[in-house]
Amino acid sequence: SAVISQKPSRDICQRGTSLTIQCQVDSQVTMMFWYRQQPGQSLTLIATANQGSEATYESGFVIDKFPISRPNLTFSTLTVSNMSPEDSSIYLCSVMRDGEYEQYFGPGTRLTVT
Amino acid sequence: AQKVTQAQTEISVVEKEDVTLDCVYETRDTTYYLFWYKQPPSGELVFLIRRNSFDEQNEISGRYSWNFQKSTSSFNFTITASQVVDSAVYFCALSEAYDYKLSFGAGTTVTVRA
């Protein structure tokens, strides 16, 4: 499996501010995804991070709120913009390597918005 | 749209008991992939197994076994002789071949008591 790191591991932010989460993989991967896990809930896909082009967002998630970058095959960022307490969640990146079908997840970023 | 249902919210067992987690899925795609993930109290999401839609062979890995039945759209997971370290939330998930996006079930919390 790939080694995936996320920064920061956790943060406490004030309402109205933005936070950028980084996801780094130790090898090139075909696909990268961003998920949200609200407290006590399951995981929901936010978007597919496309290398060199705009991310593909799921219903209910928009680029202005969750801008995503993926400049190369090993790195992606997710920004949570203009945060509100409802954004308090764990944000996880996942990767899928060429020829495989399972996704491996990063350790997650635990975000609390006050 | 694809859908994954885990009807059991919580299961509590005593160590050494067997526990079976149910997963029922819906998809219109003919090629799809089914997964089980484990999320222990530490929070990381651990990949356990993938099953392809065209491979209905059941699988055993140590104390874990999986029963995939296309006729009933089910992919159940059994832990034999459970241990305290098996205490976690277990998620069943589905992806379709055209986009590989994961849809997760609500998760089943397993508590194994010593």
Side-chain angles (χ1 to χ4, degrees), chain B:
Chain B
Q2 60 205 54
K3 185 178 174 183
V4 178
T5 302
Q6 293 179 256
Q8 304 149 307
T9 304
E10 294 183 31
I11 299 176
S12 182
V13 298
V14 177
E15 228 177 357
K16 297 184 184 176
E17 287 185 351
D18 296 348
V19 56
T20 295
L21 310 180
D22 298 333
C23 174
V24 176
Y25 63 92
E26 293 177 35
T27 178
R28 284 184 283 189
D29 209 354
T30 54
T31 302
Y32 54 89
Y33 307 94
L34 295 161
F35 308 85
W36 278 95
Y37 286 87
K38 173 182 180 181
Q39 188 173 42
S42 54
E44 78 272 21
L45 208 63
V46 179
F47 165 73
L48 296 177
I49 192 171
R50 164 176 57 87
R51 249 11 218 163
N52 306 333
S53 57
F54 46 84
D55 180 4
E56 283 194 73
Q57 247 186 336
N58 292 325
E59 184 161 335
I60 298 174
S61 176
R63 295 184 298 105
Y64 294 170
S65 62
W66 292 270
N67 183 4
F68 175 31
Q69 293 196 340
K70 277 179 90 167
S71 60
T72 56
S73 296
S74 65
F75 185 41
N76 297 336
F77 172 31
T78 298
I79 303 172
T80 302
S82 60
Q83 300 176 1
V84 172
V85 294
D86 296 326
S87 296
V89 181
Y90 291 86
F91 291 100
C92 181
L94 169 90
S95 72
E96 292 169 338
Y98 68 95
D99 63 12
Y100 304 110
K101 297 186 290 187
L102 280 174
S103 291
F104 283 85
T108 299
T109 300
V110 173
T111 303
V112 182
R113 307 186 309 275

Side-chain angles (χ1 to χ4, degrees), chain A residues 7-84:
Chain A
K7 290 181 184 179
S9 59
R10 60 178 63 227
D11 207 341
I12 301 173
C13 301
Q14 289 196 346
R15 180 197 299 262
T17 62
S18 298
L19 176 72
T20 295
I21 303 168
Q22 298 179 5
C23 178
Q24 179 76 55
V25 193
D26 67 340
S27 58
Q28 292 186 348
V29 292
T30 306
M31 302 187 78
M32 296 181 78
F33 304 88
W34 286 97
Y35 291 82
R36 179 176 74 182
Q37 187 176 25
Q38 294 177 300
Q41 303 294 314
S42 185
L43 286 83
T44 301
L45 179 65
I46 298 172
T48 303
N50 300 310
Q51 195 261 326
S53 64
E54 193 171 285
T56 305
Y57 290 85
E58 296 303 299
S59 175
F61 298 96
V62 295
I63 187 171
D64 290 346
K65 175 68 176 177
F66 298 102
I68 288 170
S69 78
R70 189 179 172 193
N72 56 53
L73 294 177
T74 63
F75 185 78
S76 178
T77 67
L78 166 73
T79 299
V80 186
S81 303
N82 188 23
M83 288 184 283
S84 66

